[in-house]
Amino acid sequence: MTTPVLFTIFGASGDLAKRKLYPSLFRLYKAGHIAENFAVIGTARRPWTKEFFEQTVIESLGNLPDNPRQAYEFASHFYYQSHDVNDTEHYVALRQLQAKLGQQYGTQENKVFFLSMAPEFFGTIAKHLKSEEIVNGKGFERLIIEKPFGTSLATAEKLNAELAETFEEDQIYRIDHYLGKEMVQNIFAVRFANIIFEHIWNRDFIDNVQISFAESIGVEDRGGYYDHSGALKDMIQNHALQVLSILAMDTPKSFNEADVRTEKIKVFQNLKKQTNEEIKRNFIRGQYTDGQIDGHTYAAYLDEPNITENSQTETFAGGVFFVDTDRFRDVPFFFRTGKRLTEKGTRVTIVFKKATDIFGQHAEQNILTIYIQPTEGFSLFINGKEVGSSFSLTPAKLSFRHNADALGNSPEAYEKLFFDVLNGDSTNFSHWEEVKASWTFIDQVVRIWQENQVPLHLYPAGSMGPQAAFDLLESYGTDWHWKPDTWYRERGLL
Ligand code: BG6
């Protein structure tokens, strides 16, 4: 189905627009979800011409188009408007362009606004969109907003109040690009479409859950932003808690947007509040020093560009959440994320309770792993019998994994998310109640860390984080099931 729509992208010259947004819009175009009756207004401060903008869009598409003509036709729908977000006159010009393009392309007054800019401008833009009647109550009007949504509960509340002057909650689509990932969506299928899992997805059968978001890259050229954020706010407050909410939610009454949302929000609201002492024990922060992987030397965080001298910003965050529901009370949900870890990999490991030993043989715990990226798929460890006349147990791994990029068939997260916005489906976006509850929790950890009540552990680039993150799991009687560092070490690569 084709949706008539006018997109306005604030931050059109930015990296995200070029890397993700234009290619994703193109994929939607190629799939026929947007066609003749769509247009895109790109705005940014730079004085670009339409020709230059079109060229930028075409270049961003790489080899996605079937032929040059298809790329040109797509790019011809793009218009550029140089824009200062504080200048009211510029919004007047924007309204005029919007009206003209609306007529020309028959977009039926449907509008999607995408804010891909520094968050301090979000409120100003939203205010002007209303005062200058760019948002005018005609057609559908939806706002897509990039992270970070605030940097604390107080700033998130302020931002939300500013947006609420112009948009209702159901018009606001807060991006968490992890929710657009194929395998994160697949968690619904694994959990709810398999009788073998659906009935054991609870504290009676699950011992603990481990969520790893490992990155091998450092902070690259994002030091200016990252040094003020750190791993906890950059990855845990949003991505990790969103993934956790899908893992921990109760079965929704039905699989529609409202019912799924209700259950997700319940998880956020039932995140068990931990005492300060518990937080000090249960949340680990780390920062990378220089290190070697496979003969390559990587610089320490403190030596990266745009990092303040002696910065105490964490590039690693690990810890444990509990969800205080009948389903999961007291089950640890361990998480870890970090820059410059051994290997890039996002995966969820569900560790089931130990089975009874049989015939004097020790049974290993069943383990289900959901691979989110870079490979996608699942594996399941089960106990089998070793071939031979004696009875010996041996774990067997059932595995279904593929490299999504190589197959090229998994939609890019932004493509999926744009598609949902066009359909008015906000299931895969962060609701305000979720954001609010996550900041309430994270603020407490931030305060304890800022007051230096716990050490900032150093870890060498290439490792899987500080020893403290391993000790934490040991203190709960378990260990990280995924051990890429061991694999590297055994082969002399670390
Ligand atoms: C972003 C963070 O939200 O997610 C980055 O700001 C991080 O620091 C990125 O690198 C990871 O996303 P992905 O899709 O590459 O796993």
Side-chain angles (χ1 to χ4, degrees):
M1 204 189 73
T2 301
T3 310
V5 60
L6 176 67
F7 292 95
T8 305
I9 298 179
F10 291 87
S13 62
D15 190 48
L16 180 79
K18 287 187 259 186
R19 268 189 316 113
K20 303 278 186 191
L21 307 188
Y22 304 146
S24 299
L25 285 174
F26 181 76
R27 283 164 176 263
L28 289 178
Y29 178 75
K30 215 169 149 181
H33 298 306
I34 49 176
E36 288 315 308
N37 44 10
F38 89 96
V40 180
I41 302 177
T43 81
R45 285 193 77 117
R46 297 174 196 183
W48 283 2
T49 60
K50 173 163 170 51
E51 290 68 34
F52 186 80
F53 188 34
E54 283 186 20
Q55 201 46 45
T56 307
V57 170
I58 290 171
E59 279 166 20
S60 76
L61 305 181
N63 54 14
L64 289 176
D66 295 333
N67 53 58
R69 191 153 153 231
Q70 193 186 37
Y72 283 117
E73 272 175 13
F74 171 71
S76 72
H77 291 253
F78 284 66
Y79 294 78
Y80 188 80
Q81 173 94 42
S82 171
H83 188 87
D84 172 350
V85 292
N86 290 309
D87 188 337
T88 305
E89 284 309 308
H90 285 188
Y91 291 89
V92 174
L94 202 57
R95 186 183 62 227
Q96 287 162 355
L97 182 59
Q98 172 179 290
K100 178 169 159 271
L101 295 178
Q103 284 271 322
Q104 189 177 333
Y105 287 92
T107 57
Q108 300 180 12
E109 303 270 6
N110 292 333
K111 308 167 209 81
V112 170
F113 302 95
F114 195 113
L115 305 189
S116 167
M117 307 199 52
E120 62 258 35
F121 299 125
F122 293 167
T124 311
I125 297 172
K127 191 173 95 202
H128 281 92
L129 289 179
K130 182 162 189 197
S131 66
E132 300 320 311
E133 294 176 14
I134 292 170
V135 166
N136 56 13
K138 299 179 187 159
F140 66 64
E141 297 177 315
R142 297 173 185 153
L143 176 76
I144 310 181
I145 184 160
E146 264 299 326
K147 65 167 272 235
F149 199 90
T151 53
S152 61
L153 179 60
T155 52
E157 274 177 334
K158 178 167 175 290
L159 171 58
N160 206 48
E162 286 169 351
L163 299 182
E165 300 268 311
T166 304
F167 296 96
E168 302 286 336
E169 174 64 24
D170 65 2
Q171 294 177 295
I172 303 176
Y173 294 75
R174 296 178 197 82
I175 292 242
D176 187 306
H177 76 284
Y178 268 76
L179 294 179
K181 289 189 192 274
E182 187 62 24
M183 285 306 295
V184 172
Q185 307 228 323
N186 216 322
I187 297 173
F188 285 98
V190 176
R191 275 198 62 184
F192 301 114
N194 292 298
I195 198 104
I196 58 167
F197 293 130
E198 193 181 349
H199 295 284
I200 58 171
W201 207 268
N202 56 51
R203 63 197 300 268
D204 294 336
F205 297 94
I206 293 180
D207 184 85
N208 70 81
V209 176
Q210 305 179 4
I211 311 174
S212 298
F213 293 83
E215 294 192 88
S216 53
I217 55 170
V219 286
E220 316 276 278
D221 53 2
R222 295 168 73 227
Y225 150 77
Y226 195 87
D227 207 35
H228 289 103
S229 168
L232 187 70
K233 294 183 186 180
D234 188 50
M235 295 293 288
I236 304 304
Q237 177 270 332
N238 36 53
H239 308 318
L241 282 170
Q242 282 292 339
V243 170
L244 183 149
S245 72
I246 301 175
L247 291 166
M249 67 194 258
D250 279 339
T251 311
K253 271 210 299 272
S254 79
F255 283 88
N256 67 29
E257 183 184 339
D259 291 339
V260 170
R261 162 123 305 146
T262 303
E263 293 307 332
K264 272 184 69 201
I265 291 177
K266 268 198 224 156
V267 174
F268 280 91
Q269 294 179 336
N270 281 302
L271 277 181
K272 186 176 167 218
K273 186 169 164 35
Q274 303 190 25
T275 64
N276 288 348
E277 286 313 307
E278 284 168 333
I279 297 271
K280 284 192 221 168
R281 267 199 315 274
N282 284 337
F283 285 77
I284 312 291
R285 58 176 182 152
Q287 187 188 79
Y288 62 83
T289 58
D290 57 353
Q292 278 209 346
I293 320 176
D294 200 4
H296 215 96
T297 303
Y298 293 96
Y301 176 71
L302 291 180
D303 295 328
E304 302 269 24
N306 300 318
I307 304 302
T308 47
E309 215 182 319
N310 298 323
S311 168
Q312 293 286 296
T313 300
E314 80 285 356
T315 59
F316 176 96
V320 55
F321 289 109
F322 293 93
V323 181
D324 221 351
T325 55
D326 289 347
R327 180 183 292 269
F328 274 124
R329 183 159 304 116
D330 298 331
V331 175
F333 283 77
F334 299 108
F335 68 86
R336 60 180 167 175
T337 188
K339 302 278 185 199
R340 279 275 180 262
L341 300 187
T342 316
E343 188 174 287
K344 165 121 184 145
T346 307
R347 55 176 75 184
V348 172
T349 310
I350 313 288
V351 182
F352 290 93
K353 292 208 157 148
K354 213 176 138 329
T356 30
D357 293 350
I358 63 167
F359 304 131
Q361 289 283 310
H362 171 71
E364 297 288 342
Q365 284 164 289
N366 296 125
I367 291 177
L368 170 71
T369 299
I370 304 173
Y371 303 92
I372 294 171
Q373 62 182 17
T375 53
E376 298 182 345
F378 327 96
S379 70
L380 179 65
F381 271 101
I382 60 171
N383 291 296
K385 179 191 161 301
E386 214 165 48
V387 178
S389 42
S390 65
F391 187 93
S392 304
L393 286 179
T394 181
K397 186 178 179 186
L398 313 179
S399 180
F400 170 72
R401 285 174 80 175
H402 60 263
N403 184 325
D405 286 344
L407 293 179
N409 55 2
S410 287
E412 162 63 46
Y414 279 91
E415 177 191 353
K416 162 77 183 137
L417 296 175
F418 271 135
F419 180 77
D420 287 351
V421 172
L422 290 178
N423 290 306
D425 180 350
S426 59
T427 317
N428 297 309
F429 293 82
S430 315
H431 190 274
W432 168 242
E433 290 303 328
E434 299 167 4
V435 176
K436 193 165 120 188
S438 65
W439 275 125
T440 306
F441 192 105
I442 295 296
D443 271 1
Q444 187 190 0
V445 183
V446 171
R447 188 178 50 74
I448 289 171
W449 284 5
Q450 272 172 356
E451 290 170 1
N452 281 325
Q453 297 191 41
V454 292
L456 175 69
H457 300 278
L458 300 178
Y459 64 96
S463 65
M464 280 306 279
Q467 183 56 37
F470 295 87
D471 297 344
L472 175 71
L473 268 70
E474 204 182 314
S475 73
Y476 282 89
T478 185
D479 65 347
W480 291 105
H481 178 69
W482 183 38
K483 301 180 179 71
D485 44 345
T486 307
W487 192 94
Y488 272 66
R489 227 169 268 127
E490 282 168 2
R491 284 157 186 79
L493 301 171
L494 264 191

